[in-house]
Amino acid sequence: MSNHTQSTIGAGAMIFQNEKVLLVQLNYGRARGAWILPGGMVEKGEHPEQTAIREVYEETGLSVRITGLIGIRHRIEKDHSANIYYIYKAEVADELAATLTWPEGEILEARFWEIDHALNDQSVRPLTREYIRHFLSNPNRLLTKKSIPKEHNLNDELFFS
């Protein structure tokens, strides 16, 4: 019997535009109807940055570029598996071509919210509100990647503030 946990990895993005934050409304699960940052699960061989970009596009129709890492959330599920979730800061790649669209089976709606409204509306998931509060309290303190020595594993990444 293994003493190692099974883990899943996800990633999402926080996108601000014109003093508003982009949120999507879930169309499935026990949180159906709740609003969260766009994001989802990492696919095999995919880097979490790529996941955030792909998921934002799939859930909103917006092409984005990552501008930094806000934080990482770790959760131990009821079955004792772990879930690690990367929260990136991103910006819309082409505001002129930006039209919100979403897959109706997964998302009820996608829209930009006034920040104060998002922070105070109970339909926005508590953790999503916390991510927004955390970022707004220190928007210039993003985690940055540090180069790894060449003799170490080439895929390792270190993040520091």
Side-chain angles (χ1 to χ4, degrees):
M1 178 172 193
S2 173
N3 194 24
H4 298 283
T5 185
Q6 296 299 310
S7 300
T8 56
I9 302 170
M14 188 176 309
I15 302 151
F16 293 97
Q17 189 175 45
N18 303 321
E19 306 296 318
K20 295 179 179 182
V21 62
L22 180 63
L23 300 176
V24 296
Q25 189 177 33
L26 294 173
N27 192 19
Y28 61 88
R30 64 180 170 84
R32 187 179 192 280
W35 292 85
I36 62 170
L37 298 172
M41 302 309 292
V42 173
E43 294 179 354
K44 187 175 181 177
E46 188 176 52
H47 189 283
E49 283 185 18
Q50 294 168 308
T51 301
I53 291 167
R54 175 182 53 76
E55 287 286 344
V56 168
Y57 184 76
E58 288 176 3
E59 294 182 355
T60 70
L62 298 179
S63 295
V64 298
R65 65 181 149 266
I66 301 298
T67 59
L69 179 63
I70 294 171
I72 302 168
R73 189 261 305 136
H74 180 268
R75 170 185 294 153
I76 297 177
E77 303 287 358
K78 289 179 184 176
D79 67 358
H80 302 287
S81 65
N83 175 259
I84 300 164
Y85 200 83
Y86 291 78
I87 303 98
Y88 290 97
K89 170 99 172 52
E91 58 187 32
V92 176
D94 184 0
E95 287 188 38
L96 296 177
T99 302
L100 290 172
T101 60
W102 51 89
E104 292 179 10
E106 183 178 353
I107 303 297
L108 289 169
E109 184 182 355
R111 70 174 146 105
F112 282 92
W113 285 57
E114 297 287 339
I115 293 169
D116 286 341
H117 186 202
L119 290 174
N120 293 297
D121 192 302
Q122 295 303 304
S123 67
V124 176
R125 297 282 294 178
L127 202 49
T128 297
R129 293 193 312 260
E130 185 58 32
Y131 296 150
I132 296 167
R133 269 190 215 96
H134 170 76
F135 176 76
L136 293 175
S137 71
N138 201 341
N140 296 319
R141 192 171 184 186
L142 298 173
L143 298 175
T144 55
K145 289 183 199 177
K146 180 175 180 1
S147 298
I148 303 299
K150 287 182 182 176
E151 61 274 5
H152 205 278
N153 187 331
L154 297 177
N155 289 320
D156 283 2
E157 295 178 316
L158 299 176
F159 295 91
F160 297 98
S161 60

